[in-house]
Amino acid sequence: MNQLPGDGANVVGINLPHIVFQPIQGDVQYKTADVVPVFWFHFTPDILVVSSRSPIKNFKEFIEAAKAKPGSISLAGSGQFSANQAAHERLDAAFGIKTLYVPFKGTGDLATSVMGGQVDGAMTYTPFAIANRDKGVRPLAVAMEKRHPLMPDVPTFKELGVDWVDGAYRGIGVPKSTPPEARKRLSDLWMAINTDPEMKELAAKAGFELVNVGLDQMDAFMAEKTRLYTEGAARMGLGKK
């Protein structure tokens, strides 16, 4: 990205927590500080689900079951050392439980295993829960500021006592050589797109939560997310050979 001309026309899609996790793991040649984000426009919130055939009907029952038999509840997720695994470790740490993380290569096999009962549930994202709610998935808790309008009966983690509003963030970055005025122009452009009523409606239907993190908030946002994901990486043992 930084080898591209910083002319304000070169824009690259970026993702959190991956731009923090990958350098810690050591499989890439860049550091998080090498990435220059100018706008974060949405995230797919973390959500805990179980099979609709599960005897666990709500989050309280989930915690009770997990504490009764530590390590017995299996939760699927997409990938190892991924955002889903980090959320899984965060769940265990926040609520003082121990569950088993089962990594899958993609959401297709993950969905089949949850609905078929091969695993007890999954730590995944809201689009998965929305798409499969009528097909055998029961959501228990979501990492949003407020309840999702398409899942009004599903409590937030904040309601359950943990300040957890997170998921996988998508944004745009530019080469480091891009001048400040070009960065601001791009940030303002994405802000205009993100506040368009049609954009809001389409995002909500798909299970995406819009965020508007522009240049004026970027340093504080990145400092907080880098701290949070570095702690998550440590819980997963990420980067330890």
Side-chain angles (χ1 to χ4, degrees), residues 160-231:
L160 298 166
V162 174
D163 188 10
W164 182 351
V165 179
D166 204 22
Y169 288 79
R170 279 89 181 182
I172 58 166
V174 295
K176 273 192 172 181
S177 59
T178 305
E181 59 273 17
R183 297 184 190 186
K184 185 177 187 310
R185 181 182 64 81
L186 287 166
S187 181
D188 291 347
L189 173 63
W190 248 262
M191 177 71 81
I193 294 170
N194 238 31
T195 52
D196 181 89
E198 185 181 1
M199 178 67 170
K200 290 181 178 180
E201 183 182 355
L202 290 171
K205 285 180 180 177
F208 293 97
E209 187 74 0
L210 295 184
V211 292
N212 296 306
V213 183
L215 287 177
D216 56 339
Q217 303 166 282
M218 192 58 67
D219 288 348
F221 179 84
M222 287 302 299
E224 170 59 18
K225 290 302 180 186
T226 300
R227 179 195 65 78
L228 180 69
Y229 297 138
T230 300
E231 289 176 1

Side-chain angles (χ1 to χ4, degrees), residues 24 66 133:
I24 293 174
R133 193 171 187 186

Side-chain angles (χ1 to χ4, degrees), residues 45-50 56-60 62-63 91 95 122-126 129 133 138-144 146-148 151 153-162 164 166:
D46 296 322
I47 192 166
L48 173 66
V49 304
V50 293
I56 297 171
K57 304 299 183 185
N58 53 50
F59 187 77
K60 180 175 179 289
F62 173 85
I63 294 298
L91 174 75
F95 293 96
M123 177 55 74
T124 181
Y125 300 124
T126 48
R133 193 171 187 186
R138 177 184 299 134
L140 300 181
V142 65
M144 295 173 63
K146 297 178 181 179
R147 296 191 181 197
H148 197 288
M151 297 179 286
D153 55 335
V154 180
T156 67
F157 283 110
K158 293 188 84 166
E159 291 177 70
L160 298 166
V162 174
W164 182 351
D166 204 22

